[in-house]
């Protein structure tokens, strides 16, 4: 599982960096936050892909929703430097990325 979740983590980080690289370069706390949450989300994604039945997948989807909520809550509370607009953009990117990941999860499962 180790190599798989790292690939998913790197894809999550890469997608955010593609749109917010300067913000992440200028805000170490945001980069650290993104890396930690991307790891958590990647691990839940791989567990979902490896789940044996729909009951397990339902539980993992609830876990993924909790990760998303924690990301939103912590981002709101995180004391980042930079403009309010930059913080808002970063939060929007994370939300869009998370929602997009949930939509493509069946393809990720099929690819593993």
């Amino acid at each position: 599982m180790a190599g798989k979740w790292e690939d998913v983590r790197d894809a999550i980080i890469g997608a955010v960096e593609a749109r917010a690289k300067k913000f992440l370069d200028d805000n170490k706390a945001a980069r650290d936050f993104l890396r930690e949450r991307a790891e958590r989300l990647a691990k839940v994604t791989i567990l979902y892909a490896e789940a044996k039945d729909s009951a397990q997948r339902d539980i993992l989807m609830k876990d993924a929703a909790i990760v998303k909520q924690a990301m939103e809550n912590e981002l709101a509370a995180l004391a980042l430097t930079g403009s309010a607009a930059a913080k808002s953009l970063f939060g929007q990117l994370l939300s869009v990325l998370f929602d997009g990941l949930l939509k493509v999860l069946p393809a990720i499962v099929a690819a593993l």
Side-chain angles (χ1 to χ4, degrees):
M1 180 169 119
K4 293 178 185 178
W5 76 259
E6 290 167 342
D7 291 342
V8 174
R9 177 205 60 207
D10 293 346
I12 293 168
I13 292 171
V16 175
E17 280 184 334
R19 295 186 182 171
K21 182 166 179 13
K22 179 168 176 17
F23 178 75
L24 292 170
D25 288 346
D26 292 345
N27 296 278
K28 183 181 180 325
R31 181 171 294 283
D32 293 345
F33 173 82
L34 171 62
R35 183 171 182 81
E36 181 185 336
R37 293 308 176 266
E39 286 181 8
R40 286 175 57 191
L41 187 54
K43 288 175 182 177
V44 169
T45 300
I46 296 302
L47 290 172
Y48 181 93
E50 295 174 346
K52 304 278 189 253
D53 57 44
S54 61
Q56 273 187 314
R57 286 194 173 117
D58 288 345
I59 291 168
L60 289 164
M61 286 304 290
K62 289 176 184 170
D63 288 349
I66 291 168
V67 171
K68 179 185 179 193
Q69 185 63 51
M71 288 169 65
E72 291 171 352
N73 292 345
E74 290 175 40
L75 182 62
L78 195 58
L80 298 176
T81 58
S83 70
K87 291 180 208 175
S88 176
L89 171 64
F90 186 62
Q92 290 170 12
L93 285 172
L94 288 176
S95 182
V96 167
L97 179 65
F98 185 89
D99 292 342
L101 179 64
L102 292 180
K103 289 177 185 170
V104 299
L105 200 51
I108 292 171
V109 171
L112 299 174

